[in-house]
Amino acid sequence: LGAAEVELRQAAEEAAARATAAEVELARLDGELAEARRRRAEAGADEAAEGDDRDELAARAARLEARREALGRVNPLAKEEYEAEQERLEELAAQRADLEASLAELQALRDDLAGTVERRFADTFAAVARNFEEVAATLFPGGEGRLRLVEPEDEGEAGIEVELRPAGKRITRLSLLSGGEKALGAISFLFALFLARPCAFYLLDEVEAALDDTNIARFVELLRRYADRAQFVVITHQKRTMEAADVLYGVTMGADGVSQVVSRRLPREHHRTAAAS
């Protein structure tokens, strides 16, 4: 649009300039012709005007006529076309100003949104990191865990590194731990997220499948610790996890071969016995 505006404006200006030059030149030629006729009439038919050469004037008139023809035909609508193009140019300029204002507004909104995202991410990460240290201390007695921000590479996005130190080991990344330790680290991270953004209930599907009995007891202790804050729905095949539940739901097959859902509420005394064992 900008290039088209410039071309149209240049064409209009050139046409107006040519028309003006042609009108001025034509007026000047008419004036010179009238003056030459007047002087010829005053001098008489047989005497030439003093200081004028008829052949020279004729040659000059021929040259001027050739120049006039070289200017081309005058466009009588050049002024109207110029005004129309000028109006179009002003309209396009107004549209361009509106677009630039919209772009500036979008830029401001993007910057504000980016600042809000960064601020909320920093607050959430700080809360999750604190909770992760607390939960990791429960699942790794004598050990510790922490979350660390990883600087982006090649202008990418920043990442989060999970670091754990089981008792008697050095601090290492999650990828270098055993299967059970990885599961405990993942559970620690999940509970850290739960505590940072609490909900009414959480669904855990076979999260402790890779744990042994000792670590399952720690996982059950973690559930009991936060059971007053939310309701945990755990899908599991582990006996110790089932023993710690308040209510059990399962699917069994009756004597007629039809599957049916059964439920059972466990007494509190059973929970204390299971926790003590």
Side-chain angles (χ1 to χ4, degrees), residues 178-214:
S178 64
E181 291 171 339
K182 288 181 181 179
L184 288 177
I187 293 173
S188 300
F189 185 72
L190 286 176
F191 272 82
L193 290 176
F194 295 164
L195 295 174
R197 290 291 183 267
C199 295
F201 68 92
Y202 302 99
L203 180 63
L204 305 176
D205 186 3
E206 299 283 355
V207 296
E208 85 291 25
L211 303 181
D212 54 20
D213 289 343
T214 302

Side-chain angles (χ1 to χ4, degrees), residues 60-125:
R60 184 179 180 187
R63 291 196 302 269
L64 293 176
E65 183 66 20
R67 288 181 58 187
R68 187 182 69 82
E69 292 179 355
L71 291 175
R73 298 181 59 184
V74 176
N75 183 9
L77 300 178
K79 183 178 180 181
E80 289 76 5
E81 292 179 356
Y82 174 78
E83 293 176 351
E85 295 301 331
Q86 183 67 24
E87 182 179 358
R88 176 61 176 167
L89 177 61
E90 294 175 355
E91 180 182 355
L92 293 176
Q95 293 179 3
R96 179 178 179 179
D98 292 340
L99 289 175
E100 291 177 349
S102 299
L103 289 175
E105 183 178 357
L106 289 175
Q107 181 69 27
L109 290 175
R110 190 191 71 173
D111 295 341
D112 182 66
L113 179 60
T116 302
V117 170
E118 291 178 0
R119 184 172 60 255
R120 291 187 177 180
F121 173 80
D123 296 341
T124 302
F125 177 79

Side-chain angles (χ1 to χ4, degrees), residues 170-188:
R170 296 182 302 173
I171 293 180
T172 182
R173 292 181 298 177
L174 186 64
S175 59
L176 301 178
L177 297 175
S178 64
E181 291 171 339
K182 288 181 181 179
L184 288 177
I187 293 173
S188 300

Side-chain angles (χ1 to χ4, degrees), residues 93-172:
Q95 293 179 3
R96 179 178 179 179
D98 292 340
L99 289 175
E100 291 177 349
S102 299
L103 289 175
E105 183 178 357
L106 289 175
Q107 181 69 27
L109 290 175
R110 190 191 71 173
D111 295 341
D112 182 66
L113 179 60
T116 302
V117 170
E118 291 178 0
R119 184 172 60 255
R120 291 187 177 180
F121 173 80
D123 296 341
T124 302
F125 177 79
V128 173
R130 290 194 303 269
N131 295 329
F132 184 78
E133 293 178 2
E134 176 185 350
V135 176
T138 301
L139 296 180
F140 294 91
E144 61 181 357
R146 66 179 181 180
L147 300 179
R148 183 173 60 88
L149 284 177
V150 179
E151 293 298 328
E153 297 181 0
D154 298 331
E155 299 183 356
E157 295 183 354
I160 298 177
E161 186 72 38
V162 179
E163 294 182 348
L164 293 169
R165 185 184 66 80
K169 295 184 179 181
R170 296 182 302 173
I171 293 180
T172 182

Side-chain angles (χ1 to χ4, degrees), residues 252-271:
T252 184
M253 182 178 294
D256 54 357
V258 178
S259 299
Q260 58 182 353
V261 178
V262 296
S263 63
R264 180 182 178 185
R265 181 176 297 275
L266 300 182
R268 293 292 180 180
E269 292 77 7
H270 181 75
H271 294 158

